[in-house]
Amino acid sequence: MSWIKVIGVPESTGKLKKLYHRVSGPDSNVDNIMMAHSLRPHTMEGHMALYKNVLHHSANTLEKHWLEAIGVYVSILNQCHYCIEHHFQGYMRLIQNDVKANEVRECMENETLSKVFSDHELILFQYVKMLTLMPAQVNQGLVTELKNAGYDDGQILEINQVAAYFNYANRTV
């Protein structure tokens, strides 16, 4: 995954070793995206804090499966296969319907989102696409459309933060 030197778990010492232990999964696996920070462990701490607060904070009001769907879509737009696969698995777990999840992914990949999403949901993904591919084109009118579709300011911030996080993560990978 990384094209720079990465310090593996067995070779880690000190602060890095402690961080690897903290971010490891149930099988003691450390995600590649975290290991990419191994030469600057302080950036791993920042990355994890951002990830947890943007995607997994209890104060978020959008359903978690929408946040994962945004992440999958941003990763598809950026062609980040690592994040697509990792977060698609999370999306599947959250909606507990593999057929629907695969249909959503196929429509994201083929830009046929209207086949699986309502107008209310499409505006969210249109915003995410513009924020990812043409951030300078985002304007107040699009935010107004999100509000008119029923998203409140806090939810728009959540959408924005998840899209921004995945753009960061995709570029880190």
Side-chain angles (χ1 to χ4, degrees):
M1 183 190 90
S2 184
W3 296 334
I4 61 172
K5 178 183 174 182
V6 171
I7 300 169
V9 176
E11 299 81 34
S12 65
T13 60
K15 182 178 184 173
L16 179 60
K17 186 174 189 140
K18 288 178 186 173
L19 283 172
Y20 277 165
H21 179 71
R22 199 169 96 206
V23 303
S24 66
D27 58 355
S28 298
N29 182 51
V30 176
D31 289 337
N32 290 331
I33 194 167
M34 290 297 122
M35 291 198 322
H37 291 280
S38 64
L39 298 177
R40 300 293 184 270
H42 61 280
T43 65
M44 186 188 315
E45 288 177 302
H47 186 141
M48 280 306 297
L50 184 62
Y51 171 76
K52 287 180 179 182
N53 283 293
V54 168
L55 267 82
H56 299 289
H57 199 281
S58 62
N60 288 341
T61 63
L62 289 174
E63 293 180 59
K64 191 175 279 219
H65 77 272
W66 287 118
L67 303 179
E68 285 287 355
I70 291 167
V72 171
Y73 188 52
V74 168
S75 299
I76 287 170
L77 293 170
N78 287 324
Q79 300 177 25
C80 180
H81 303 289
Y82 173 83
C83 289
I84 293 167
E85 295 308 324
H86 185 78
H87 289 278
F88 179 68
Q89 294 303 314
Y91 176 71
M92 285 176 51
R93 277 190 305 276
L94 289 168
I95 68 165
Q96 298 180 352
N97 182 334
D98 291 359
V99 173
K100 180 176 171 73
N102 283 305
E103 185 179 10
V104 166
R105 179 176 175 170
E106 182 179 324
C107 288
M108 286 179 172
E109 290 172 340
N110 295 325
E111 286 295 329
T112 56
L113 298 174
S114 61
K115 288 183 176 180
V116 290
F117 294 125
S118 68
D119 289 344
H120 169 77
E121 297 157 349
L122 280 174
I123 189 67
L124 178 155
F125 288 101
Q126 290 167 351
Y127 175 72
V128 165
K129 182 177 182 177
M130 188 168 285
L131 191 60
T132 298
L133 300 178
M134 301 171 285
Q137 305 276 328
V138 174
N139 58 42
Q140 188 174 0
L142 190 50
V143 173
T144 300
E145 286 182 48
L146 283 163
K147 288 179 182 183
N148 290 341
Y151 297 99
D152 66 34
D153 288 335
Q155 291 172 323
I156 294 168
L157 178 62
E158 287 177 38
I159 295 164
N160 185 288
Q161 291 296 295
V162 172
Y165 167 76
F166 274 93
N167 277 293
Y168 163 76
N170 294 164
R171 284 150 180 81
T172 299
V173 171

